């Protein structure tokens, strides 16, 4: 009987459990054994794994986080880490591995294939939506909805007090999440790393808004565009108005996945596992324009394709 591993890596993203469930059920459907790797790459290096029966993934579809847990493991880039993983793979006797995570996890998966010849497939899961080869990564939609819900609440307070709120959202080096949050909440400003901004201009527009009768200003800042604390300080120095800041932080990563993320995770993980068991590997599965698409795990051109995709979507959004 074939033994197929399932691993979640990088930051947790809502919908990872739905992806685990779909992968495990697909593995058993093909009469192979599903092996859950605990604690991501670190667990793999320590051969920390457990057999996952089909029933072991019951009741997790709607749960946030990852039942397999995850761990950032930069040591895998070192020789020691690589040797440890090699030894663990021998012990675990895996015939293939489904890797659910972001670009760092896909680099790890690619290394497993190149160094040890282990067949791997990738399922994109990160709230940053920064993986080229898919329109959406698992967790993005949930993070967006959580942030929108939070900003709606903050807006009530902003309007009641006539305040300016600077609200920082995650997204690592990218601004799509912030731009979508701003658009969905009707925020006055969206500051994203892809588009240079001038705080004097931002303040001028905010003042103009107040002059026209607005009674609040919401500024959504992508974490990659600057720290909310700095921006709040600078606005405070320029405007004679009450300014507050909120860093949404990890609240955006947890919680029950949206229906969209559950469905996305189920479709992509099922398809990726089918490919792996059918003999296709070394790829990640994405969905582009509602059609499955496979792409290399690691892009070799040196061009940051995520920049291209996000810039394109941003240009559509922000004009
Ligand atoms: O990649 C997901 C993400 O949440 C980013 O948006 C953020 O920059 C980073 O992870 C935070 O990482 P950590 O949870 O390790 O602090």
């Amino acid at each position: 009987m074939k033994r197929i591993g399932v691993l979640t890596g990088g930051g947790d993203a809502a919908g990872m459990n739905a992806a685990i469930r779909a992968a495990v059920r697909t593995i058993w459907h093909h009469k192979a054994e599903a092996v859950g790797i605990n604690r991501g790459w670190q667990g793999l290096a320590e051969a920390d794994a457990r057999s996952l029966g089909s029933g072991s993934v019951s009741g997790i579809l709607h749960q946030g986080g990852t039942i397999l847990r995850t761990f950032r493991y930069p040591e895998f880039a070192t020789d020691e880490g690589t040797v440890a993983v090699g030894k663990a793979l021998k012990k675990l006797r895996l015939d293939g591995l489904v890797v659910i995570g972001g670009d760092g996890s896909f680099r790890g998966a690619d290394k497993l294939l190149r160094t040890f010849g282990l067949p791997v497939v990738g399922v994109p899961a990160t709230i940053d939506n920064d993986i080229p080869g898919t329109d959406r990564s698992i967790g993005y939609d949930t993070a967006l909805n959580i942030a929108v819900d939070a900003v709606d609440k903050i807006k009530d307070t902003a309007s009641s007090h006539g305040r300016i709120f600077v609200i920082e959202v995650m997204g690592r080096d990218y601004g799509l999440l912030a731009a979508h949050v701003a658009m969905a909440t009707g925020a006055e400003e969206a500051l994203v790393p892809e588009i240079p901004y001038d705080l004097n201009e931002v303040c001028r527009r905010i003042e103009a808004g107040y002059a026209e009768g607005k009674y609040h200003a919401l500024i959504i800042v992508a974490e990659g565009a600057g720290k909310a604390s700095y921006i709040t300080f600078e606005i405070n120095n320029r405007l004679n108005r009450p300014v507050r800041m909120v860093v949404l932080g990890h609240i955006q990563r947890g919680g029950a996945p949206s229906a969209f993320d559950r469905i996305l995770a189920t479709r992509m993980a099922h398809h990726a596992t089918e490919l792996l068991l059918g003999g296709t590997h070394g790829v990640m599965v994405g969905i582009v324009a509602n059609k499955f698409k496979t792409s290399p795990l690691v892009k070799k051109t040196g061009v940051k394709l995520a920049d291209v995709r996000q810039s394109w979507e941003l240009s559509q959004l922000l004009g």
Side-chain angles (χ1 to χ4, degrees), residues 72 126-128 170-172 223 250 253:
R72 301 218 190 264
T126 162
I127 68 160
D128 301 333
M170 280 187 166
R172 204 177 283 276
E223 62 176 335
H250 289 83
R253 285 235 298 258

Side-chain angles (χ1 to χ4, degrees), residues 114 180 231-232 236 277 289 300:
R114 283 185 292 106
H180 275 150
I231 292 165
T232 305
N236 240 324
L277 289 161
K300 299 187 186 354

